[in-house]
Each structure stands twice: as C-alpha cells, then as structure tokens.
C-alpha cells in the first residue's frame, strides 16, 4: 500500500495561478495541481493514498485552506492543513480542530517565517502528539528565504518536542544533503524522500546508505507532486537495492504508522 507523503493540490479555479506563483526556479511541473490531476497520477503510479498539503502564505488564508483540505480527506486522500505565526496559538488550534485536521505542512520559503521562530515553537508545543507536522527544509528560494530552515533547526525541534510527530522533507535538507546527514544523524525525526526534479538525480548508493543509517522505519516516501511524477519517484525507490521489507516501510509502512492509517505494511 503506497502512501505519498508529499502532494500539493489547489482548488481547480486557482490551481494554475497557485502553481505558477509557487514554482521553484529551474523546476517544471509534471502535473497540473488539481485534485483530478492528482487522482489520475495516483492511478497511473499505484499510489493508494496521497497526503494533500495545504499552505497558507498569509495568516488570513489559514481557515479557508484548512476548510479546503478537510473537504479533500477521503480513503485515498489525507489532508494536511496549515498554520501561521501571525495568528495566535489559540486561533491556529481552533481552525485545525474546527475542520478536523490532524496534520499540517510548514513551508518557510513561502510562508516567510523561520523554523526556529519562537511563535512557531509555541504552536508546536500546543500540538503535542495530536497534530503531525511535515515541513520543507533546505534551499529552493532566495538566499534570505533559504536561511529560514536548516537541518540544525530540525534537530533542535526534535530535541525540544520529543512527542511531536515531525517529518522533514527532502531528507532534511534540500540541496544541502551533506549538512542534513551530519546534523540529523541519530535525530528522532522522520525523513521524507522527495528531491525535485527527481530522486534519481542523487546517487542510489548514497540514498540507500542514508536510509539504512537512519532506519527505514524513520523514512517516508514523498513525490512532491506536481513537481515530479510519482511513478518515476517510486521507480527510483525500487531501484535503490533495499530489501523488500525496507522498501515497504519507505513506500508506505512508516507513514501509515505515523499517521495512524491502516496498512498491511505498517
């Protein structure tokens, strides 16, 4: 049962505009960012469940984003909502609970606040083990934006909030994998595998060794759709030379456990 930890979708009427606004330099989208487009790629790739990640770049959009992702949730879609540091802890938690959202996406590049922002840490404290978190880590924007997240910040969060179900995208450091491997060695954090334009651009031996050092039970598959093809990213995982048990954990077993999804692989 393959579960994709990392897909972005928007309402049909704004998907094209949102995708063009959020597109990272030198990356070309492989999908259209709509729910129907995601479902088509899921069917083509064999993905059973996709985590649909909502992001509010501004605080005023938090509740509408949470309402949208809550409406997406089904047997095949797991909605990840959003928070923003310009809202109080109470306002953020009230929105999540009002819409029944059980996980959130943090994206410092687009939201404009750092992973070590004290206001964000107050939100994490309120999450406890109730709300799971997946966050972008690493580069992908301007030098100023890139400084808003780092592997060290992830390690600090993991130490400060041991109950938090924390997942770090791009192995904990997009385009700064050396730093991620050093800073997150032994850290109690789940790492996600997406690496646009494709995981296959990294040496398979390096990825396999990283997964085995960190433990497949703390690795989750993510495609970062629509910026990549889920089918291609699954093929890249299958080509790493992992054992069958390791591959099943990475492709869905670990994430099923983290999110409480029933799966024969968990």
């Amino acid at each position: 049962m393959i579960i994709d930890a990392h897909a972005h979708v928007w309402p049909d009427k704004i998907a094209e505009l949102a995708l063009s606004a959020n597109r990272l330099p030198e990356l070309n989208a492989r999908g259209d960012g709509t729910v129907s487009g995601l479902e088509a790629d899921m069917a083509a790739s064999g993905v059973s469940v996709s985590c649909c990640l909502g992001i509010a770049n501004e605080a005023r959009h938090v509740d509408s984003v949470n309402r949208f992702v809550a409406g997406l949730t089904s047997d095949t879609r797991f909605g990840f909502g959003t928070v923003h540091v310009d809202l109080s802890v109470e306002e953020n938690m009230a929105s999540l609970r009002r819409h029944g959202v059980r996980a959130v996406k943090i994206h410092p590049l687009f939201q404009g606040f750092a992973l070590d922002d004290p206001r964000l840490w107050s939100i994490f404290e309120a999450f406890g083990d109730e709300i799971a978190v997946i966050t972008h880590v690493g580069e992908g924007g301007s030098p100023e934006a890139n400084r808003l997240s780092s592997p060290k910040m992830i390690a600090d969060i993991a130490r400060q909030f041991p109950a938090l179900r924390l997942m770090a995208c791009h192995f904990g450091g997009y385009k700064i994998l050396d730093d991620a491997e050093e800073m997150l060695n032994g850290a109690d954090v789940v790492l996600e595998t997406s690496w646009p334009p494709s995981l296959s651009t990294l040496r398979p031996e390096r990825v396999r060794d990283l997964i085995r050092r960190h433990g497949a039970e703390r690795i989750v598959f993510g495609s970062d759709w629509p910026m990549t093809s889920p089918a291609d990213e699954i093929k890249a995982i299958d080509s790493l030379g992992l054992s069958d048990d390791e591959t099943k954990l990475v492709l869905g077993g670990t994430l099923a456990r983290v999110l409480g999804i029933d799966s024969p692989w968990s």
Side-chain angles (χ1 to χ4, degrees), residues 195-263:
W195 199 270
S198 177
L199 180 63
S200 63
T201 61
L202 295 175
R203 288 188 299 106
E205 307 83 36
R206 182 177 191 180
V207 176
R208 182 178 63 246
D209 291 347
L210 188 162
I211 290 172
R212 285 183 167 160
R213 282 197 308 272
H214 200 69
E217 73 281 359
R218 293 190 294 175
I219 303 287
V220 297
F221 164 69
S223 68
D224 206 352
W225 190 89
M227 303 315 298
T228 72
S229 160
D232 289 349
E233 301 313 292
I234 293 166
K235 183 178 179 180
I237 296 292
D238 283 336
S239 300
L240 292 176
L242 298 170
S243 71
D244 185 59
D245 286 345
E246 289 171 325
T247 299
K248 286 179 177 179
L249 283 172
V250 171
L251 286 179
T254 297
L255 189 55
R257 172 179 53 79
V258 171
L259 296 179
I261 297 172
D262 288 335
S263 168

Side-chain angles (χ1 to χ4, degrees), residues 5 29 33 39 41 73 79 95 99 105 137 166 198 201 208 245 263-264:
E39 290 178 335
D41 271 356
T73 299
S95 179
H99 298 293
K105 169 67 184 283
V137 192
L166 177 65
S198 177
T201 61
R208 182 178 63 246
D245 286 345
S263 168

Side-chain angles (χ1 to χ4, degrees), residues 6 25 36 41 56 59 63 100 135 156 177 179 211 225 235 242 249:
H6 196 155
S36 61
D41 271 356
D63 201 62
T135 180
D156 290 343
L177 192 54
D179 291 347
I211 290 172
W225 190 89
K235 183 178 179 180
L242 298 170
L249 283 172

